[in-house]
Amino acid sequence: MTQTEEDLELSELSGEFTDDDVIVHIRISRPMGSNLDWTLEVIDEEGYSTVWEDSFPTDREAYEEFLATIERDGIQTFTEHPVQTLH
């Protein structure tokens, strides 16, 4: 069963992120009304998605993982390989 936007609680840390003139959208979410871990997805300007296989206990940890990935690999990592899953 696929979750719809209405079924998800979005973190306040979700939104647009720009670095080196590249814009991506960060979506940190979990099922609405739950205390489950947060999932992290980054969507590039063309709509391609990168999703982490692992979930995160807090939305802050998910966001920090996103920032660490940019620091380590650069924001282009989200545009060079359009459909990918990160660990």
Side-chain angles (χ1 to χ4, degrees):
M1 182 173 176
T2 306
Q3 289 183 322
T4 64
E5 284 289 321
E6 296 85 36
D7 296 333
L8 296 176
E9 172 186 359
L10 289 178
S11 164
E12 293 178 0
L13 298 172
S14 296
E16 189 174 280
F17 184 90
T18 305
D19 185 46
D20 200 24
D21 294 326
V22 175
I23 300 170
V24 296
H25 296 274
I26 307 160
R27 188 165 94 166
I28 302 171
S29 62
R30 66 181 176 186
M32 183 69 73
S34 76
N35 287 322
L36 296 175
D37 287 350
W38 296 86
T39 59
L40 173 58
E41 178 180 19
V42 177
I43 305 161
D44 74 8
E45 291 178 302
E46 295 181 20
Y48 291 106
S49 173
T50 301
V51 179
W52 274 251
E53 283 184 351
D54 298 327
S55 56
F56 303 87
T58 68
D59 57 346
R60 173 63 59 190
E61 288 178 65
Y63 188 75
E64 288 173 0
E65 174 61 25
F66 165 73
L67 294 177
T69 300
I70 289 179
E71 180 71 27
R72 182 181 62 246
D73 303 328
I75 197 164
Q76 291 77 15
T77 194
F78 300 114
T79 59
E80 291 174 351
H81 307 286
V83 178
Q84 59 182 319
T85 302
L86 300 179
H87 302 280

